[in-house]
Amino acid sequence: MAIKYVPEPFRIKMVERIKILSREEREQKIKEAKYNLFNLKAEDVYIDLLTDSGTNAMSADQWSGIMQGDEAYAGAKSYYNLVNAAKDIFNYEFIQPVHQGRAAEKVLFPILLGKGKYAISNMFFDTTRAHVELAGARAIDCVVEEAKDPSLRAPFKGNMDVEKLEKLINELGKENIGLVVMTITNNSAGGQPVSVQNMREVSAICKKYNIPLNIDAARFSENAYFVKQREEEFKNSSIKEITREMFSYADMFTMSAKKDAIVNMGGLIGIKDNEELYQKIKGNCISYEGFITYGGLSGRDLEAVAIGLYEGQDEDYLRYRIGQLEYLASKLDDAGIAYQAPVGGHGIFIDAKAMFPHIPYYEFPGQALAVELYKEAGIRTCDIGSYMLGNDPDTGKQLRAEFEFTRLAIPRRVYTQAHFDIMADALIAIKERASSVKGYRITWEPPILRHFQAHLEPIE
Ligand code: F0G
């Protein structure tokens, strides 16, 4: 039985019109887009679930903050507002704004990584992996085994496999490990949370071998909410207390504020207490992003992040947000549709391999489902599977991904219960005709990050 939808803890003050094209029009549009959802015009999409990043609805308080933005080049009031908010929430000494998450990675990673070095993570997000490699190092994923079975329900499928981590450190040599990264929540594994206990164990290993520990903090508030729900020790703690506890185990963090700070643009670097490292960060930031007190953002953006950091920590909001996904997941349970379970924080990752057992990985089941969702209901999603993974850089052969997911990423405070019903109904309708859905072949692809630009066609 479907569970109840948690009502929105806000009312709507401003709306944006969306329209749905006819089925024939959608079929035409996706064909013209060469069956690549990134090639669609946003106005041809009815419910846009391509990403939860920067697609959030800001509050009336944030919009008022925008009007108060101090645009001074140096020492703006909005900079101090942001630094004070972040210091208060994370309890770190040094805070550096940057324009988005990958900018934080670009500024920080070259200081700690270089040729011959490794970075190990519970799972790297694509751009994070790219910045490890751009710095000359190699990126290794080390997530717990239970993350790899979508149907297996476990409370913390985002965790690091600590035994494997220690083994890797010993094999590769502790002096060659430049950085350990904990991604909270674990996006690539399905928005799955990491427990505080796991943070503690990872931190103890990092201390033992003297390796810096970084948090990839994009969805830190959602992670804290899951900890409160699922980790006995924290059931009476506030979201802020849990956040401070999680961050106390790391040395630094990189953060895309486009997620849990509920803004459209922004990012942060935090350093717990290492002043020497902060000095180096300031140097890189001035070269790549802009002066220290604006870091590639307008004053108004700094102000919106400062306010949004607190709004993202509000427990009523988090209950509603995670509740939306649990509502959708319970409808899928009733219909026997498999997904990375239990549902994660920022999206639901549908197991397209289970939906289309007749489509092999090299015909991209996750992409096939993404195309069907657009044709069925004008919903835009993306493949998180072999299509996204691409080819082996040495042999040029298609790689086989651990999962074949289609991700429905949910923008914050944007869609209502009726939109969630449409998502469930569309997935159920596709499941009913699943055996007639065809796989895809690539007709053109660029050499790197191909999924953003490739052309495809259905295999008849
Ligand atoms: N780290 C994680 C865990 C992310 O999910 C993202 C972005 C980044 C870093 C990079 O941040 O986009 O601000 O530069 N994830 C988005 C997504 C794009 O759709 O999952 P950014």
Side-chain angles (χ1 to χ4, degrees), residues 375-436:
K375 288 201 275 187
E376 181 67 34
I379 298 170
R380 175 156 69 171
T381 58
C382 69
D383 169 280
I384 306 266
S386 297
Y387 171 60
M388 184 180 89
L389 191 61
N391 300 319
D392 185 309
D394 298 323
T395 66
K397 252 189 87 177
Q398 172 65 50
L399 293 165
R400 181 179 197 153
E402 203 92 57
F403 316 104
E404 301 297 340
F405 286 139
T406 304
R407 182 180 79 167
L408 283 69
I410 310 298
R412 291 165 185 77
R413 305 190 291 211
V414 171
Y415 293 113
T416 64
Q417 181 173 7
H419 294 117
F420 281 80
D421 289 340
I422 290 169
M423 296 171 207
D425 290 347
L427 285 161
I428 292 165
I430 295 164
K431 183 174 190 256
E432 278 164 11
R433 55 178 172 75
S435 61
S436 68

Side-chain angles (χ1 to χ4, degrees), residues 51-53 100-102 105 125 127-128 183 187 216 218-219 256 258-259 407:
T51 178
D52 64 317
S53 181
Q100 65 181 85
R102 66 200 71 180
E105 295 154 11
F125 177 69
T127 64
T128 319
T183 311
N187 181 3
D216 181 347
R219 300 176 181 89
S256 168
K258 297 169 74 173
K259 284 82 168 173
R407 182 180 79 167

Side-chain angles (χ1 to χ4, degrees), residues 123 143 147 157-158 186-192 340 349 403 405:
M123 263 182 126
V143 73
K157 282 170 101 170
N186 188 330
N187 181 3
S188 310
Q192 295 293 316
Q340 175 66 300
F349 290 54
F403 316 104
F405 286 139

Side-chain angles (χ1 to χ4, degrees), residues 138-209:
R138 289 285 161 263
I140 304 175
D141 285 341
C142 190
V143 73
V144 287
E145 280 304 308
E146 55 207 19
K148 297 174 187 171
D149 178 357
S151 64
L152 184 115
R153 281 173 196 260
F156 292 105
K157 282 170 101 170
N159 278 355
M160 179 86 84
D161 184 332
V162 281
E163 254 174 55
K164 193 170 155 199
L165 171 66
E166 189 154 19
K167 211 169 133 231
L168 272 169
I169 294 171
N170 286 314
E171 276 169 19
L172 299 167
K174 64 174 185 202
E175 62 290 349
N176 297 322
I177 316 294
L179 194 61
V180 169
V181 178
M182 286 296 265
T183 311
I184 65 169
T185 59
N186 188 330
N187 181 3
S188 310
Q192 295 293 316
V194 169
S195 68
V196 170
Q197 184 53 31
N198 190 248
M199 287 290 309
R200 279 188 189 127
E201 290 168 12
V202 170
S203 165
I205 292 174
C206 288
K207 286 210 166 72
K208 178 169 160 191
Y209 296 101

